[in-house]
Amino acid sequence: TSTKGDQTDTAAANGYSYDTTRIRGLSLTHVNGAGCHPGAAGDVPIMPFAGDVTTSPSADTKDAVYASGFSHANERATPGRYSVTLDSGAGADLAVTPRAGVGDFSFPAGTPANLLFRVSNSLNGSEDAQIDIDAKHHKVTGSVLTGAFCGRRANGGTNNRKSYYRLYFTASFDRGFASTGTWKDSTLSPGSTSGSGGEGYATGADRAGRGSGGWVGFDTSSDNDVHMRIGISYVSLAGAEANLRTEVRPRESVDDVAAATARSWDQELGSVRTGGGSADQRTTFYTAMYHALMQPGIVSDTGGRYPGMDGKPHRLVRGQRAQYSNFSGWDQYRAQIQLLALLKPEVAGDFAQSLYNFAQQNGGVWDRWVHINGATHVMTGDPSAATLATFYAMGVRNFDYRGAFDSLARQATEPNADGLSDAGCPGQCTGQRPSLAQYLTSHYAAQDACHCWGGAAETLEDAIADSALGRWAKLMGRDQQAAEFTERGTWWSNVFDSGATDGAGTTGYARARNLDGSWVTPFSPGSDRGFAQGTSATYTWMVPQDVQGLAEKMGGRATAAQRLDAFFHKPDGSWSVRGGDPLRYDATNEPGIHAPWLYNALGRPWKTQATVRQIVNTVYGTGPAGLPGNDDLGTMSAWYVFSALGLYPQTPGSASMLLGAPLFPHAVVDRPGRTDIRIDAPSADGAHAYVSALTVNGRTHDRSWTDASLLRTGGTLAYGLSDQPDTRWATNASDLPR
């Protein structure tokens, strides 16, 4: 956990900031790139401290004593392993399995050697924490009761200062303890072996100085390397012990565990084999795959028990291999879940079942952002519907898809009392289908009555989700529900104001409406009023399920394409794809990330190819700045993986893929049990970014998309590429994506 000198805060969302080289502990849990501060998890930071513990670490509110600087030159991270040598001279070398890990802690000669267990210091605080030191058996055990996703941000309010999970840990050491102690708040208790106390969910200075923990000291006069084995569980201490026994053998070293984890990741990353490209391109691609496949996270024990959303332990259902969580739905449904379904369909099915399990334990309510076993309510729309419909369309079947569909359809049609609550609004509104009765009557979410984070955004999100449910119903032969939800998928048009103008001649934008039907005033396309983390200029394009309908509203495909040109370029014609301009594309956030691919449906696929390549080349890369904004649990990384392969999901609830120019001359998507997808583009390089010809399984393909058959049967895409735009390929009006 990085620190800038405030123990109640962290240097960046999710605990680590490359620009901040001072840490107060190495945490047992992490979340990948959640887009808020402080993020989530960061449970039980463990700090190697080369000094005597003479005051309470919780009283060190400025992180002046029990923290240390470090240099990136003394830090190394690879999949499943992290090592660092601190400026204090203490070091840590850590390797992990899914539920356990090992660590070697080293200390400089002639200094005290202590490990601090900061049990209450989760990123969002804690309601309670416990530590027990068993000197006889060289063990430290404990737990933390926490939750509160993004807990101190204003729009979560008191509604978000809550606990929903307890993390248990057990740590055993290769030697006895030379000293022990615990602390609570400002009180230090040397020699103590048991302590407890949380920080609470207070904010800022009110939280400072609170909390509990303990430490163990070691005699390192003859051996300065301390070996630790540690297991965690979200169910019980016994579960943590069992997870450790199952996943780490008694004498396994850090090298042993790291090697096994590296082999596992090699297998994961080997699901896409690329040939050619530059070293930087390959590094960027496989780093993106690594980030994208970090999700979902396992929350079940090796014995099959997991924490339910009702706060009780449950067991996996028959056929389910693991209970997964950390569902950043509003982000992931656009790209990450499609990549998961493509590369790891069995995991996708277990994930779908996991979300359904949670919903059943939560009164039938599917939360849009699930962390561990907690409903955090973050963002807008109904991404669960879009996600499971996409899984089903892409061939995932190892979940109770009939039960899940019925449950999601019920949520979309039967109002829930939570939908009339403003608790947590705007960013974490409790209702998952807010003001549903009004929505079903008005066919849009009213800005002045919707109990949501922007009526226009809610309408657009729900239309995507309903369209996906309609596609899913059709695939299952439920024609009446298919028709009803497909019709609801067109309600996006009810927040499209053909008269809204930018004042410079462009008309027709997404816009919030009031309950009486009037448009919310004043209007500016650069405003976020009625929207969530985006402007009207961006959200206007968020109709992937009906691009032709959107183009028609704008005055035709030619006009829509001209407007899209202005979305990606400044008035002088230069590119504008990095974000920061409210009128133009923002590569750092999700509402517009599909927009570069919309040209395919507008009959100008060469512009998709140019725009995607510009983003791939200038927004993504290697090094600390290699990702645009937050990764949002693998979403931005999944965008890159798809774009580099020349594929992109057309719309949620569909297995159709939009086609672009591959980055690599050769790629194979390995699909065990099914035919691989091969992508051959021998001319692929920095200059050849345009498609001039394509065959699919040897047959000429003059469309900039493929239907579900590619994913169903696999096969080979063979591209001819050019260094100049080909304005003829895939432009026939009757063959455009629908």
Side-chain angles (χ1 to χ4, degrees):
T1 303
S2 302
T3 177
K4 288 185 175 180
D6 179 359
Q7 191 189 91
T8 70
D9 201 0
T10 183
N14 312 298
Y16 180 92
S17 169
Y18 189 84
D19 296 330
T20 303
T21 54
R22 186 171 178 82
I23 66 170
R24 61 170 171 261
L26 301 159
S27 305
L28 301 184
T29 60
H30 301 271
V31 170
N32 173 31
C36 65
H37 190 106
D43 299 315
V44 192
I46 298 173
M47 183 67 182
F49 180 60
D52 289 318
V53 181
T54 57
T55 58
S56 166
S58 286
D60 182 25
T61 58
K62 303 298 183 184
D63 285 330
V65 178
Y66 298 106
S68 177
F70 69 96
S71 165
H72 290 302
N74 296 321
E75 178 189 41
R76 186 165 184 263
T78 57
R81 187 172 193 171
Y82 176 81
S83 60
V84 63
T85 299
L86 305 175
D87 292 349
S88 67
D93 189 10
L94 315 171
V96 296
T97 66
R99 304 170 183 85
V102 291
D104 286 336
F105 297 96
S106 57
F107 297 89
T111 67
N114 291 292
L115 275 184
L116 312 181
F117 285 78
R118 312 182 78 142
V119 291
S120 67
N121 286 155
S122 298
L123 290 182
N124 287 302
S126 58
E127 183 177 329
D128 186 33
Q130 174 75 33
I131 187 167
D132 292 292
I133 301 169
D134 180 352
K136 180 179 179 181
H137 297 100
H138 312 167
K139 287 176 62 173
V140 178
T141 59
S143 67
V144 59
L145 177 62
T146 183
F149 181 85
C150 297
R152 290 182 297 285
R153 74 179 192 176
N155 59 12
T158 56
N159 184 58
N160 193 36
R161 294 177 196 162
K162 60 186 179 183
S163 301
Y164 46 81
Y165 72 91
R166 187 181 283 273
L167 179 82
Y168 299 85
F169 73 91
T170 179
S172 61
F173 294 87
D174 65 345
R175 68 184 72 187
F177 306 139
S179 62
T180 66
T182 64
W183 70 85
K184 180 178 181 180
D185 298 340
S186 62
T187 301
L188 189 74
S189 301
S192 170
T193 58
S194 184
S196 64
E199 295 179 346
Y201 295 124
T203 58
D206 290 338
R207 180 182 164 198
R210 299 168 63 177
S212 66
W215 79 92
V216 289
F218 300 92
D219 179 356
T220 56
S221 56
S222 60
D223 180 359
N224 73 339
D225 188 68
V226 175
H227 184 69
M228 178 185 77
R229 302 166 67 246
I230 191 162
I232 64 171
S233 168
Y234 292 103
V235 179
S236 66
L237 181 57
E241 298 272 11
N243 291 340
L244 177 57
R245 284 195 305 271
T246 302
E247 295 190 349
V248 178
R249 294 190 301 273
R251 291 180 177 80
E252 278 195 288
S253 67
V254 173
D255 284 341
D256 293 335
V257 173
T261 302
R263 287 193 297 271
S264 175
W265 271 110
D266 282 344
Q267 185 175 359
E268 296 283 304
L269 300 180
S271 59
V272 179
R273 302 188 301 276
T274 60
S278 68
D280 278 355
Q281 286 173 333
R282 291 191 298 272
T283 297
T284 303
F285 181 82
Y286 285 107
T287 300
M289 273 193 68
Y290 171 58
H291 287 152
L293 294 177
M294 284 181 176
Q295 293 78 212
I298 294 174
V299 294
S300 52
D301 288 343
T302 53
R305 298 215 313 164
Y306 68 91
M309 199 168 272
D310 56 4
K312 302 172 184 176
H314 292 261
R315 286 199 174 274
L316 302 177
V317 301
R318 185 172 183 177
Q320 184 186 6
R321 297 170 304 171
Q323 178 76 8
Y324 289 100
S325 189
N326 297 352
F327 175 56
S328 178
W330 184 84
D331 308 297
Q332 290 173 303
Y333 87 82
R334 306 167 200 267
Q336 192 269 343
I337 61 103
Q338 288 88 343
L339 190 64
L340 188 69
L342 178 66
L343 301 181
K344 309 293 293 183
E346 294 297 312
V347 172
D350 283 340
F351 191 22
Q353 185 65 49
S354 298
L355 295 175
Y356 181 35
N357 292 344
F358 282 142
Q360 290 175 291
Q361 298 149 11
N362 194 41
V365 175
W366 298 66
D367 197 76
R368 62 178 80 90
W369 214 124
V370 181
H371 178 230
I372 313 301
N373 60 317
T376 74
H377 324 312
V378 173
M379 299 309 299
T380 64
D382 187 1
S384 300
T387 292
L388 270 73
T390 301
F391 283 159
Y392 188 86
M394 294 182 69
V396 176
R397 294 292 184 274
N398 59 312
F399 68 104
D400 180 4
Y401 48 84
R402 295 183 184 88
F405 175 87
D406 288 342
S407 179
L408 285 161
R410 211 160 30 243
Q411 177 167 277
T413 54
E414 298 179 8
N416 185 300
D418 283 351
L420 298 177
S421 170
D422 282 327
C425 283
Q428 295 173 267
C429 299
T430 303
Q432 300 302 291
R433 287 281 187 156
S435 298
L436 180 58
Q438 176 268 313
Y439 184 78
L440 295 177
T441 300
S442 304
H443 297 184
Y444 63 90
Q447 178 70 9
D448 56 351
C450 80
H451 307 285
C452 67
W453 189 0
E458 189 69 40
T459 304
L460 293 167
E461 293 284 0
D462 287 351
I464 290 173
D466 289 340
S467 169
L469 286 174
R471 293 169 186 269
W472 188 3
K474 185 176 181 180
L475 288 172
M476 291 200 298
R478 301 187 179 192
D479 293 342
Q480 182 177 343
Q481 286 175 299
E484 291 170 355
F485 281 114
T486 299
E487 167 62 22
R488 286 172 56 166
T490 69
W491 291 358
W492 65 268
S493 62
N494 295 322
V495 292
F496 186 91
D497 179 9
S498 297
T501 178
D502 65 353
T506 299
T507 59
Y509 286 94
R511 183 177 183 179
R513 299 181 80 168
N514 293 313
L515 184 59
D516 65 5
S518 63
W519 297 106
V520 171
T521 57
F523 173 78
S524 166
S527 170
D528 64 356
R529 190 174 183 190
F531 301 96
Q533 291 191 0
T535 65
S536 171
T538 293
Y539 270 90
T540 293
W541 298 107
M542 206 181 80
V543 192
Q545 77 276 24
D546 189 12
V547 184
Q548 300 304 333
L550 177 63
E552 186 178 342
K553 286 276 190 183
M554 289 181 169
R557 285 190 291 268
T559 301
Q562 289 177 344
R563 288 191 56 176
L564 202 53
D565 290 344
F567 188 56
F568 293 112
H569 297 85
K570 299 174 185 176
D572 65 5
S574 62
W575 287 102
S576 179
V577 294
R578 296 191 68 87
D581 183 338
L583 296 177
R584 291 179 174 82
Y585 180 73
D586 181 3
T588 72
N589 211 2
E590 279 70 20
I593 60 172
H594 68 292
W597 293 88
L598 294 178
Y599 285 113
N600 283 19
L602 301 178
R604 289 152 178 81
W606 69 90
K607 291 192 173 184
T608 280
Q609 296 150 28
T611 307
V612 168
R613 186 60 60 92
Q614 177 69 16
I615 297 167
V616 162
N617 286 346
T618 65
V619 177
Y620 290 81
T622 60
L627 267 174
N630 307 295
D631 200 26
D632 288 323
L633 281 80
T635 304
M636 295 307 184
S637 289
W639 187 96
Y640 183 90
V641 172
F642 273 124
S643 296
L645 293 174
L647 302 170
Y648 198 77
Q650 182 179 348
T651 189
S654 169
S656 295
M657 289 283 161
L658 300 171
L659 302 176
L663 189 63
F664 299 103
H666 183 66
V668 178
V669 179
D670 182 24
R671 305 196 305 162
R674 294 183 291 172
T675 305
D676 294 346
I677 297 173
R678 303 176 63 89
I679 302 169
D680 289 318
S683 301
D685 59 23
H688 293 77
Y690 298 98
V691 179
S692 58
L694 171 65
T695 63
V696 178
N697 294 328
R699 304 180 73 171
T700 299
H701 193 84
D702 197 38
R703 298 187 302 181
S704 62
W705 59 287
T706 71
D707 60 20
S709 63
L710 177 68
L711 271 59
R712 186 168 58 246
T713 63
T716 299
L717 304 173
Y719 287 88
L721 300 182
S722 171
D723 60 357
Q724 297 295 320
D726 187 316
T727 59
R728 296 167 299 171
W729 179 75
T731 58
N732 189 320
S734 63
D735 290 331
L736 300 179
R738 291 288 153 189

